[in-house]
């Protein structure tokens, strides 16, 4: 019986650590949504999370480590959202359009998420490695020239990050997501006709359902 209690006690301890770490990440997430990343301090985070300062250092060595954790959580949650739809699409150009449109739809439905994602990308240029890798794979299927695929990757990422900043700041009174996706498709080498064909075949309904599920 004593062994069982010790095991359960250890489990409770682990669960508590997971919850506290999640509190800190969520607190930083909320702060980053309204302020520049570099202006947020450890004191700000622990006050927002409602924990002691020493607790912060139990989970993170530095504020930079917490920032990286926030960025990674954003990337993983969005990658998880994308993968079911992405895996069901065989055509590389359509997968790229699907991912870009889903990204834009998410930003439109949640400007706070867009603001945090943009700030995290600026503060952590290496964040989003999973998404970048998937995008590069699709671009490589469209081009046999690896340097060309790498350049196109940077173009797509640059456009998407700019749109995240704009949408996160609410700087657009009207917005056409398809126009942005079309611009991206043209930038990676598709003709106007090919871009229109891809847009017509986007599984928009499936994306909207996924976004509503995630938001809920």
């Amino acid at each position: 019986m004593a062994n069982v209690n010790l095991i359960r006690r250890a489990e409770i301890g682990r669960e508590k650590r997971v919850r506290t770490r999640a509190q800190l990440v969520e607190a930083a997430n909320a702060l980053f949504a309204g302020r520049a990343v570099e202006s947020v301090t450890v004191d700000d985070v622990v006050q927002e999370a409602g924990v002691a300062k020493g607790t912060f250092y139990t989970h993170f060595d530095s504020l930079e480590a917490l920032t990286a954790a926030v960025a990674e959580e954003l990337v993983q949650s969005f990658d998880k959202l994308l993968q079911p739809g992405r895996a069901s699409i065989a055509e590389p150009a359509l997968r790229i359009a699907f991912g870009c449109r889903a990204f834009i739809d998410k930003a439109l439905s949640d400007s706070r998420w867009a603001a945090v994602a943009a700030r995290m990308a600026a503060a952590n240029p290496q964040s989003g490695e999973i998404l970048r890798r998937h995008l590069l794979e699709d671009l490589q299927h469209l081009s046999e020239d690896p340097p060309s695929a790498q350049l196109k990757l940077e173009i797509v990422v640059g456009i998407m990050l700019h749109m995240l900043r704009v949408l996160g700041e609410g700087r657009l009174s009207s917005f056409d997501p398809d126009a942005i996706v079309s611009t991206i498709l043209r930038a990676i080498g598709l003709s106007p006709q090919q871009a229109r064909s891809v847009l017509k075949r986007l599984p928009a309904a499936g994306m909207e359902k996924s976004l509503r599920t995630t938001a809920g």
Side-chain angles (χ1 to χ4, degrees), residues 61-126:
D61 294 334
S62 64
L63 192 57
E64 289 73 20
L66 174 59
T67 301
V70 173
E72 187 61 26
E73 183 174 281
L74 285 172
V75 169
Q76 288 183 355
S77 64
F78 191 74
D79 187 64
K80 184 178 180 180
L81 167 70
L82 278 186
Q83 285 319 299
R86 184 179 181 277
S88 69
I89 299 171
E91 182 183 339
L94 191 56
R95 282 201 301 269
I96 292 169
F98 173 83
C100 291
R101 178 59 193 266
F103 219 96
I104 292 170
D105 284 348
K106 175 65 175 173
L108 282 170
S109 68
D110 188 350
S111 60
R112 177 180 174 277
W113 178 89
V116 173
R119 288 188 173 96
M120 291 298 93
N124 296 273
Q126 298 306 313

Side-chain angles (χ1 to χ4, degrees), residues 111-190:
S111 60
R112 177 180 174 277
W113 178 89
V116 173
R119 288 188 173 96
M120 291 298 93
N124 296 273
Q126 298 306 313
S127 65
E129 186 60 33
I130 295 174
L131 293 175
R132 290 174 67 96
R133 185 169 66 249
H134 289 156
L135 177 56
L136 181 59
E137 289 170 359
D138 290 335
L139 288 167
Q140 287 171 336
H141 281 100
L142 288 175
S143 173
E144 296 182 357
D145 179 16
S148 174
Q150 190 68 49
L151 175 60
K152 290 174 181 177
L153 170 68
E154 298 304 327
I155 291 171
V156 175
V157 170
I159 293 173
M160 293 305 301
L161 289 180
H162 179 70
M163 294 314 304
L164 273 183
R165 286 191 292 271
V166 169
L167 293 173
E169 295 167 7
R171 286 196 275 139
L172 288 177
S173 56
S174 61
F175 184 71
D176 180 5
D178 283 351
I180 297 301
V181 177
S182 178
T183 298
I184 290 171
L185 293 174
R186 296 288 308 282
I188 62 175
L190 273 68

